[in-house]
Amino acid sequence: FFLNSRFEQLLEIRSSGRNVVQDRTIYEDAYIFAPNLHAMGLMTTRDFENYFRLFKNMDSAVTPPDLMIYLRASVPNLVNQIAERGREYESTISIDYLKRLHERYEAWITTYDKGKVLIIDVDENAFHTNPEDLGKIINSIDAEVHGLFPNEAPAKPATAKKKAAKKK
């Protein structure tokens, strides 16, 4: 159900033609949450293997994001954030569960090869309450997406310059 829902979201995003910031990706579902459920015994091996095969088929039809933004936070910080939000359905999340997810996220982000990655250390800033920290992050995102000098024309490769010089 979750894999199909995430895939439908991606198809909708593609057909809309809009630029979208997505909170969670299909990759996290496949590389973090499903394996974690399997390891916890909440998903059978047969279901996990079927899930992952289906994900691989979907992955071939998915356009990866232009920029993956990874919000890195320590487990104590995650616990504090959950407590601050005060959502009843999050109150039963165990620290062991958070640790397992954290380990899986850290392992996954080091192997992510679908495109650009920007890692933001949430422990080192308070972008949700500090406009200066948020501004730094927005500038980092702009630099990753548009380059440091987005208004300049892209430089021509050296071989193109040599060919242009020969024509004169």
Short mmCIF file of all heavy atoms in Angstrom, two decimals, residues 2 35 45 49 55 65 74 103 157 164:
data_model
loop_
_atom_site.label_atom_id
_atom_site.label_comp_id
_atom_site.label_asym_id
_atom_site.label_seq_id
_atom_site.Cartn_x
_atom_site.Cartn_y
_atom_site.Cartn_z
N PHE A 2 1.85 1.32 0.91
CA PHE A 2 2.68 2.53 1.00
C PHE A 2 3.53 2.72 -0.25
O PHE A 2 3.68 3.83 -0.75
CB PHE A 2 3.57 2.49 2.25
CG PHE A 2 2.79 2.65 3.53
CD1 PHE A 2 2.69 1.60 4.42
CD2 PHE A 2 2.15 3.84 3.81
CE1 PHE A 2 1.95 1.74 5.58
CE2 PHE A 2 1.41 3.99 4.97
CZ PHE A 2 1.31 2.94 5.87
N PRO A 35 13.01 -2.53 4.97
CA PRO A 35 13.99 -3.44 5.59
C PRO A 35 13.90 -3.45 7.12
O PRO A 35 14.11 -4.49 7.75
CB PRO A 35 15.34 -2.89 5.14
CG PRO A 35 15.05 -2.11 3.91
CD PRO A 35 13.67 -1.56 4.10
N THR A 45 9.71 -12.54 4.90
CA THR A 45 10.77 -12.51 3.89
C THR A 45 10.15 -12.52 2.49
O THR A 45 10.58 -11.76 1.62
CB THR A 45 11.72 -13.71 4.07
OG1 THR A 45 12.34 -13.60 5.36
CG2 THR A 45 12.78 -13.74 2.99
N GLU A 49 10.80 -9.49 -0.10
CA GLU A 49 11.41 -9.72 -1.41
C GLU A 49 10.49 -9.27 -2.54
O GLU A 49 10.93 -8.66 -3.52
CB GLU A 49 11.79 -11.19 -1.56
CG GLU A 49 12.97 -11.59 -0.71
CD GLU A 49 13.24 -13.08 -0.67
OE1 GLU A 49 12.42 -13.87 -1.22
OE2 GLU A 49 14.26 -13.48 -0.08
N PHE A 55 9.56 -2.51 -6.07
CA PHE A 55 10.24 -1.21 -6.00
C PHE A 55 11.25 -1.05 -7.12
O PHE A 55 11.31 -0.01 -7.77
CB PHE A 55 10.94 -1.03 -4.65
CG PHE A 55 11.99 0.05 -4.69
CD1 PHE A 55 11.63 1.39 -4.74
CD2 PHE A 55 13.34 -0.27 -4.73
CE1 PHE A 55 12.59 2.40 -4.81
CE2 PHE A 55 14.30 0.72 -4.81
CZ PHE A 55 13.93 2.05 -4.85
N PRO A 65 14.94 12.90 -7.65
CA PRO A 65 14.86 14.33 -7.36
C PRO A 65 16.10 15.07 -7.86
O PRO A 65 17.18 14.49 -7.95
CB PRO A 65 14.75 14.39 -5.84
CG PRO A 65 15.26 13.09 -5.35
CD PRO A 65 15.04 12.09 -6.44
N SER A 74 20.86 13.61 15.46
CA SER A 74 21.20 12.55 16.40
C SER A 74 19.92 12.00 17.03
O SER A 74 18.87 12.66 17.02
CB SER A 74 22.11 13.11 17.50
OG SER A 74 21.40 14.10 18.26
N GLU A 103 20.42 4.38 12.03
CA GLU A 103 21.51 3.59 11.43
C GLU A 103 21.24 3.31 9.96
O GLU A 103 22.14 3.41 9.12
CB GLU A 103 21.69 2.27 12.19
CG GLU A 103 22.29 2.44 13.56
CD GLU A 103 22.23 1.18 14.40
OE1 GLU A 103 21.78 0.11 13.89
OE2 GLU A 103 22.59 1.24 15.59
N PRO A 157 32.86 23.94 -22.57
CA PRO A 157 34.00 23.05 -22.35
C PRO A 157 35.19 23.49 -23.19
O PRO A 157 35.03 24.12 -24.23
CB PRO A 157 33.48 21.68 -22.81
CG PRO A 157 32.02 21.82 -22.98
CD PRO A 157 31.70 23.27 -23.09
N ALA A 164 35.76 26.48 -31.71
CA ALA A 164 35.28 27.80 -32.08
C ALA A 164 36.45 28.67 -32.53
O ALA A 164 36.33 29.45 -33.49
CB ALA A 164 34.57 28.45 -30.91
#
